[in-house]
Amino acid sequence: MSQPLLQVNDLKKHFPIKAGFLGGTTGYVYAVDGVSFDIAKGETLSLVGESGCGKSTVGKALLRLFPLTAGQVVLGGDRIDDMPNGTLRPLRRKMQVVFQDPFSSLNPRMRVRDILAEPIRNFGLAKDAADLEKRLEGLMDKVRLPRDAINRWPHEFSGGQRQRIGIARALAGEPDLIICDEAVSALDVSVKAQIVNLLQDLQTELGLAMLFISHDLAIVEHMTHRVAVMYLGKIVEVAPKRSLFGAPKHPYTEALLSAVPVPMPGAARERIILKGDVPSPINPPKGCRFHTRCPYAFDRCRTEEPQLRPVADALEGGHIAACHLHDRPAGENPLSGAKGAQLLAVGSA
Amino acid sequence: MDGGRTAPLPPGVNVAPEMGDIMPPVKAKKGFIGFLRRNPTIAIGGFLVLLMVFVAVFAPYLAHRDPTALAPALRTREPSAQFWFGTDMLGRDVYSRVLHGARVSLTVGFSVAFCASVIGLAIGLVSGFIRLADSIIMRFMDGMMSIPPILLAIALMALTRGSVGNVVLAITIAEIPRVSRLVRGVVLSLREQPYVDAAVASGTRTPMIILRHILPNTLAPLTVQATYICASAMITEAILSFIGAGTPPIIPSWGNIMAEGRALWQVKPYIVFFPAVFLSITVLAVNLLGDGLRDALDPRMAKRL
């Protein structure tokens, strides 16, 4: 693998909490607190985690929808994290986004034609009016919508059709990377499958890389190459799909996987029920952020924050996890070996 | 990639599977008549407003006599075939005066609604987009809103001399905070919409974001608010004229006709009655129109923000 398409290094986004009469800052929400990963050309990386762990904030931060607190983001060789807006604007073409809600992600007062033409015009991609027309038709074909639907208003479409329009808009700029922020979560199951297949087809057709932000592990297992698991603003584990689903190396991932229903009657699985709620990102726990809910936590976890390091006994290479358990001898490590394999068999059974 | 479909669809096939029953033809009756039938409040309100506009525009032709002509011999006549609404204490024809009064009321109502909307929209957009300006402007608006609009209008009128233009100005200033708050609120919520984020991500500049994505979606709630402001401006105008702080007595307006008839209320109630009925019907009509527009444009929008 040569130079990755997107490199994220120690990304941080802290939201100030304003309170009081003069609006002084009384604290910060540590929504994203030191996240690093990279995505190769044509690769799908899934970012999973429960609600409020900061996965959507990562997506929005990469798109520079707000200024970053710290960290480096390198997209196709250009550092975009501290780039002024004017310089960044032409580079935005390379990275586009598909949002979760197909209803609020399309401007209700613009026709489909104008929605799709906006990025093409902004990035000056069309040579003339005829070229623009050809591109618009091409986009409608790519997302399998009838060409004559282009003059309609968004409210005339169903949720799945609107999501196709959203995907077409993301493709309009001819991006290298698409960030899918829960792009299929709001759709019902049959439509969800169609959109997932469409995304996969497009990825093969156009060689797109994808950052697939989701909490739906079944979908993630179906379409991703690698998975990054996030907990409370940090990435706790990154691994190739098979390795992660087969033998998770972080207690949080293990618990997360155990919550996926088994699509087989009578098949039971040992559920790991986590105690308590996610701690507040305003005041995250010291040490390992997961130690308050971790069934295996020991003294070291409460004081020392574990770093993401390669795991020796993973199923596949490139498996990294942030957990002190892996420093213990195999006998004292509940996550050693392929123990988690029994948790698998999601969808592929 | 395992499990995924890899082959692109053949060139002829470009329709999504769920597109089979795409877009059934719209069943509801199209056109203007269908729209009115589905929105009876707009139909009734709109009809009454148009009627009042007609009355105001053609007042000189509909009126029997000069609304300011004095006729001391014909004072305080009861309504009759000659004087439909009777005459006042100076012998002026109340019918003619009420018709001409519609001109003042509608002029004030429409002008205030228009001016307050335009200025409030500008202020609201600025404070919705510039954080520093927001905290200053909104504190100022809070201050203005702590004064009852009528009191503010009376105070402003006390600074100048009575004329229709000054009445419009005074009521507009009193109404601006309400509009700018509404617009600011709408702008702040629109800025968080995913389609605005998507537009930013696809390289749209801020002025274009405002023009293309924010402004068009602000107009619906603003139009609704404008009708309510129109109605309340007409009432405020009548109040100002009634207490002698508004339209000068030389120009007949519903407020000052009522003020002049007030002394004779117990013996000659019709002098107050007719302008009051016209005012009520007009305000009701404008409010009905506003309610209808609110339901037709955006059912979720609250009446007042």
Side-chain angles (χ1 to χ4, degrees), chain A residues 206-256:
Chain A
L206 307 169
L208 291 170
M210 263 197 271
L211 177 64
F212 194 80
I213 299 169
S214 180
H215 60 257
D216 187 337
L217 292 168
I219 297 273
V220 164
E221 198 210 3
H222 177 67
M223 68 178 298
T224 198
H225 297 115
R226 285 193 303 142
V227 186
V229 182
M230 248 185 116
Y231 182 78
L232 213 59
K234 292 222 175 231
I235 287 183
V236 295
E237 186 168 6
V238 185
K241 171 175 75 179
R242 223 178 295 275
S243 185
L244 184 116
F245 281 90
K249 294 298 175 193
H250 193 281
Y252 178 63
T253 315
E254 189 190 28
L256 211 56

Side-chain angles (χ1 to χ4, degrees), chain A residues 89 92 96 99 104-105 107-109 118 122-123 141 144 146 152 157 161 164 169 194 200-201 222 241, chain B residues 1-5 9 14 16 18-19 23 193-195 198 200-205 212-213 216-217:
Chain A
R89 196 167 289 119
R92 286 185 181 278
Q96 292 292 301
F99 286 108
S104 59
S105 61
N107 185 343
R109 303 204 175 265
E118 189 174 25
N122 285 342
F123 298 126
D141 292 350
R144 333 287 190 230
R152 299 199 178 232
F157 295 87
Q161 292 161 353
R164 285 172 191 269
R169 174 180 54 196
Q194 288 162 9
Q200 288 192 315
D201 290 351
H222 177 67
K241 171 175 75 179
Chain B
M1 196 184 321
D2 57 347
R5 285 163 42 197
L9 288 181
N14 53 20
E18 84 268 27
M19 301 295 290
M23 300 158 192
Q193 291 294 313
Y195 60 77
V200 173
S202 54
T204 308
R205 287 161 202 272
R212 197 182 278 164
H213 297 281
N217 290 293

Side-chain angles (χ1 to χ4, degrees), chain A residues 5 10 20 26 136 161 163 183 188 238 241 261 280 303 307 327:
Chain A
L5 177 66
D10 203 27
T26 55
L136 291 175
Q161 292 161 353
Q163 204 61 327
D188 62 32
V238 185
K241 171 175 75 179
S280 161
T303 52
Q307 301 301 314
D327 291 342

Side-chain angles (χ1 to χ4, degrees), chain A residues 182-324:
Chain A
E182 303 272 14
V184 296
S185 306
L187 307 172
D188 62 32
V189 180
S190 59
V191 178
K192 189 184 285 196
Q194 288 162 9
I195 299 294
V196 165
N197 287 336
L198 174 69
L199 285 172
Q200 288 192 315
D201 290 351
L202 291 172
Q203 183 170 38
T204 348
E205 261 172 64
L206 307 169
L208 291 170
M210 263 197 271
L211 177 64
F212 194 80
I213 299 169
S214 180
H215 60 257
D216 187 337
L217 292 168
I219 297 273
V220 164
E221 198 210 3
H222 177 67
M223 68 178 298
T224 198
H225 297 115
R226 285 193 303 142
V227 186
V229 182
M230 248 185 116
Y231 182 78
L232 213 59
K234 292 222 175 231
I235 287 183
V236 295
E237 186 168 6
V238 185
K241 171 175 75 179
R242 223 178 295 275
S243 185
L244 184 116
F245 281 90
K249 294 298 175 193
H250 193 281
Y252 178 63
T253 315
E254 189 190 28
L256 211 56
L257 292 180
S258 84
V260 179
V262 191
M264 192 186 296
R269 136 189 322 163
E270 190 192 346
R271 281 290 305 274
I272 301 169
I273 311 284
L274 292 178
K275 299 183 295 281
D277 288 324
V278 189
S280 161
I282 296 168
N283 193 10
K286 298 265 181 302
C288 173
R289 293 192 172 197
F290 188 54
H291 84 252
T292 53
R293 304 169 76 196
C294 181
Y296 314 121
F298 56 108
D299 285 346
R300 191 178 164 199
C301 305
R302 293 182 189 97
T303 52
E304 190 189 329
E305 190 169 337
Q307 301 301 314
L308 274 172
R309 280 174 302 136
V311 182
D313 56 351
L315 282 186
E316 287 176 37
H319 194 143
I320 55 174
C323 184
H324 292 314

Side-chain angles (χ1 to χ4, degrees), chain A residues 61-139:
Chain A
L62 295 181
L63 291 163
R64 276 279 306 268
L65 294 177
F66 37 62
L68 312 180
T69 309
Q72 288 103 47
V73 180
V74 180
L75 176 68
D78 299 300
R79 234 189 106 170
I80 60 166
D81 51 279
D82 55 355
M83 200 177 253
N85 275 321
T87 329
L88 175 66
R89 196 167 289 119
L91 293 177
R92 286 185 181 278
R93 184 187 67 75
K94 296 185 187 172
M95 184 160 58
Q96 292 292 301
V97 61
V98 179
F99 286 108
Q100 169 172 17
D101 182 1
F103 291 89
S104 59
S105 61
L106 303 177
N107 185 343
R109 303 204 175 265
M110 282 170 79
R111 288 176 190 275
V112 176
R113 164 184 300 280
D114 299 315
I115 292 173
L116 299 185
E118 189 174 25
I120 299 179
R121 290 209 181 96
N122 285 342
F123 298 126
L125 295 173
K127 287 191 289 288
D128 48 37
D131 187 31
L132 176 69
E133 205 58 32
K134 217 177 85 206
R135 281 169 181 271
L136 291 175
E137 286 180 356
L139 286 171

Side-chain angles (χ1 to χ4, degrees), chain A residues 165-185:
Chain A
I165 298 168
I167 294 170
R169 174 180 54 196
L171 295 175
E174 298 177 349
D176 301 323
L177 171 70
I178 292 191
I179 296 178
C180 296
D181 188 355
E182 303 272 14
V184 296
S185 306

